[in-house]
């Protein structure tokens, strides 16, 4: 998975604050049974492959779908497999083996129609293409359309992180009743965990931001000419083409380090910090899954001749 925890330095409150801090209130998922993270992703990949996905495409899609469960946002995770993605595949609204059509290629920028491919795979593929272009030109931009639901924009943006790049994903449009996650960004954090930000929807007062996303993701991709479609802008930036790697590392460390602190006995953290911690915990202890979701996955496993998920802990 692109999002990776790192060793980090944490600010410490005064001993008096630690002593007065109330014990953490248990959350429901602490009581959920856990399964191995790699086993969960592998099962979802097998399910996608059984529905016609090429093997590599199935793995990318599975990682995107399981991202929410692995980083503490299970409402946008594997529960969507049976309620969103499989119905779209079975109805033909998403084509598992669709081949992208390159409409325009201008070196650092491209426009691609993914022709009803799974968004879980297509947006990650578009980011990989943007990263390759950024490696050559310093910046890579892919405008795309013709995809199904794609999960969390931040996950796809984070595919730029292993390449020490900044990733940005903007989305507009979508299927009726299935609002898209319109903005995701990821950036190296220097000495601290990577910054990974997801915006579900702009606030009512953010008309300017809404229009910005619509122009860059919708108007640019031409999605307005296609019903029930999603348009995106995927951008990768290679900072070291503009400044030294050491200079960028030190500046990022200073920025994200300045965001840390304590208030009222509670830690102040930036987006990506808690997600990295949750990912590390899931890899070590297993991924918590609610009972109904676990039963659905075990039934899917049985339907394709695989054993049920293994409980851990």
């Amino acid at each position: 998975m692109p999002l990776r925890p790192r060793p980090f330095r944490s600010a410490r409150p005064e001993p008096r604050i630690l002593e007065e801090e109330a014990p953490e209130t248990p959350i429901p998922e602490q009581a959920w049974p856990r399964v191995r993270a790699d086993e969960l992703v592998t099962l979802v990949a097998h399910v996608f492959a059984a529905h016609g996905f090429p093997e590599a495409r199935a793995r990318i899609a599975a990682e995107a779908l399981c991202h929410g469960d692995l980083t503490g946002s299970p409402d946008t995770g594997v529960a969507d497999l049976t309620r969103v993605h499989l119905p779209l595949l079975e109805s033909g609204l998403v084509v598992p083996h669709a081949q992208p059509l390159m409409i325009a290629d201008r070196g650092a920028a491209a426009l691609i129609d993914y022709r009803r491919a799974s968004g879980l795979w297509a947006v990650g593929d578009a980011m990989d293409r943007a990263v390759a272009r950024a490696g050559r030109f310093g910046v890579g931009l892919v405008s795309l359309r013709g995809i199904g639901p794609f999960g969390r924009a931040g996950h796809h943006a984070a595919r730029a992180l292993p390449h020490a790049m900044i990733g940005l994903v903007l989305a507009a449009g979508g299927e009726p009743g299935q609002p898209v996650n319109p903005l995701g960004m990821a950036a190296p954090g220097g000495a601290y965990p990577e910054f990974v930000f997801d915006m579900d929807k702009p606030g009512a007062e953010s008309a300017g931001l809404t229009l910005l996303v619509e122009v860059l993701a919708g108007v640019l991709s031409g999605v307005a000419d296609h019903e029930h479609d999603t348009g995106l802008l995927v951008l990768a930036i290679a900072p070291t083409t503009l400044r030294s790697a050491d200079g960028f590392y030190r500046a990022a460390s200073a920025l994200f380090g300045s965001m840390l602190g304590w208030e009222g006995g509670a830690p102040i953290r930036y987006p990506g910090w808690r997600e990295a911690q949750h990912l590390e915990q899931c890899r070590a202890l297993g991924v918590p899954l609610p009972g109904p979701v676990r039963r659905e996955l075990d039934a899917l496993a049985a339907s394709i001749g695989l054993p049920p998920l293994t409980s851990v802990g």
Side-chain angles (χ1 to χ4, degrees):
M1 308 289 281
L3 184 64
R4 307 180 311 285
R6 296 182 174 184
F8 51 85
R9 302 190 298 271
S10 59
R12 295 290 183 185
E14 298 176 2
R16 179 181 56 83
I17 297 178
L18 277 174
E19 292 170 359
E20 294 175 358
E21 191 172 354
E24 185 179 350
T25 302
I27 57 175
E29 74 171 40
Q30 290 177 333
W32 294 350
R34 291 178 177 265
V35 300
R36 299 183 190 281
D38 58 343
E39 192 176 323
L40 175 63
V41 176
T42 298
L43 171 59
V44 174
H46 280 305
V47 172
F48 280 136
H51 283 77
F53 279 58
E55 183 177 350
R57 192 177 295 196
R59 183 72 188 190
I60 291 174
E63 290 176 350
L65 184 59
C66 295
H67 170 79
D69 302 279
L70 288 166
T71 57
S73 299
D75 53 323
T76 58
V78 74
D80 278 345
L81 179 61
T82 57
R83 68 188 183 195
V84 175
H85 298 283
L86 294 187
L88 289 173
L89 287 165
E90 290 162 358
S91 68
L93 293 175
V94 167
V95 180
H97 48 75
Q99 294 302 311
L101 174 65
M102 183 70 72
I103 299 172
D105 188 340
R106 302 293 182 264
L111 173 61
I112 303 175
D113 188 335
Y114 276 84
R115 306 168 79 181
R116 292 192 293 159
S118 165
L120 293 170
W121 163 75
V123 182
D125 178 75
M127 179 54 76
D128 292 347
R129 292 171 186 254
V131 164
R133 291 166 188 266
R136 294 173 57 200
F137 302 105
V139 61
L141 184 155
V142 176
S143 180
L144 63 144
R145 63 178 186 243
I147 67 164
F150 58 85
R152 306 296 295 179
H155 166 76
H156 300 291
R159 292 183 72 86
L161 294 175
H163 307 276
M165 294 186 188
I166 298 167
L168 177 68
V169 175
L170 304 176
E175 292 286 334
Q178 295 178 0
V180 298
N181 170 214
L183 189 155
M185 180 180 174
Y192 299 94
E194 289 108 343
F195 170 73
V196 182
F197 173 68
D198 266 304
M199 177 181 287
D200 289 319
K201 59 182 179 180
E205 71 285 354
S206 305
L209 178 59
T210 299
L211 286 172
L212 180 151
V213 172
E214 288 291 335
V215 169
L216 293 178
V219 175
L220 185 61
S221 68
V223 74
D225 301 327
H226 303 260
E227 285 191 32
H228 310 318
D229 199 356
T230 302
L232 294 97
L233 178 138
V234 172
L235 179 69
I237 302 170
T240 55
T241 62
L242 301 174
R243 60 180 306 181
S244 70
D246 182 64
F248 181 80
Y249 178 89
R250 285 187 285 105
S253 298
L255 171 63
F256 292 109
S258 71
M259 303 298 295
L260 307 177
W262 293 80
E263 183 175 345
I268 300 172
R269 300 292 183 260
Y270 56 83
W273 183 291
R274 290 185 177 86
E275 290 83 351
Q277 288 184 318
H278 198 278
L279 175 60
E280 185 176 21
Q281 182 184 65
C282 285
R283 286 176 169 167
L285 303 178
V287 185
L289 291 177
V293 173
R294 171 70 182 274
R295 289 190 289 273
E296 286 179 350
L297 291 173
D298 286 345
L300 285 171
S303 71
I304 57 176
L306 294 176
L309 292 166
T310 305
S311 295
V312 296

